[in-house]
Amino acid sequence: MGIVRTVLLVAFVIVCVLLVLLVLIQREDSNGMGGVFGGGQSAAFGSHSASVLTKTTGVLAALFFIFAFSLALVNKGRDKGDLSRTAAELQETAPSTGEASSGSWLDDVAE
């Protein structure tokens, strides 16, 4: 399961970087959603076909969500057992004084 988690995480990081770069590369014309509020001469749902960059951005956005949900599912039950095991190990390795403590940390400092 560790290999799957590592492969998903590496693919997720690559998709994130590519998505950011593609969004930065795209032209700033009035055909996007910014043109709706900026008052450009294009309609909100114009007849312009999507460019290759726009289609690739959509595919990468879909992959982003798929990888994010996959990583969440893979890591869903992982921490449950680790926390209880860690608490049990801490109780075993705690120094015992032989007496029952009164419950105040200030008493330990005063001694």
Side-chain angles (χ1 to χ4, degrees), residues 24-45:
L24 289 174
I25 288 173
Q26 290 181 6
R27 284 189 313 158
E28 294 182 22
D29 54 358
S30 60
N31 292 335
M33 287 301 290
V36 174
F37 301 113
Q41 295 183 0
S42 66
F45 299 103

Side-chain angles (χ1 to χ4, degrees), residues 94-102 111:
S96 60
T97 59
E99 301 176 0
S101 75
S102 62
E111 293 174 359

Side-chain angles (χ1 to χ4, degrees), residues 6-65:
T6 304
V7 169
L8 279 174
L9 187 61
V10 168
F12 183 68
V13 169
I14 290 171
V15 166
C16 288
V17 170
L18 288 176
L19 189 60
V20 167
L21 291 176
L22 275 178
V23 168
L24 289 174
I25 288 173
Q26 290 181 6
R27 284 189 313 158
E28 294 182 22
D29 54 358
S30 60
N31 292 335
M33 287 301 290
V36 174
F37 301 113
Q41 295 183 0
S42 66
F45 299 103
S47 63
H48 295 84
S49 63
S51 67
V52 175
L53 286 177
T54 307
K55 289 179 184 178
T56 308
T57 305
V59 169
L60 285 176
L63 285 174
F64 173 83
F65 285 111

Side-chain angles (χ1 to χ4, degrees), residues 50-106:
S51 67
V52 175
L53 286 177
T54 307
K55 289 179 184 178
T56 308
T57 305
V59 169
L60 285 176
L63 285 174
F64 173 83
F65 285 111
I66 290 170
F67 285 139
F69 289 130
S70 299
L71 281 169
L73 288 176
V74 167
N75 292 325
K76 183 171 79 171
R78 182 173 176 213
D79 292 336
K80 191 180 231 182
D82 293 342
L83 290 177
S84 62
R85 190 172 356 117
T86 305
E89 289 173 0
L90 284 175
Q91 288 178 351
E92 290 175 2
T93 60
S96 60
T97 59
E99 301 176 0
S101 75
S102 62
S104 173
W105 64 271
L106 193 56

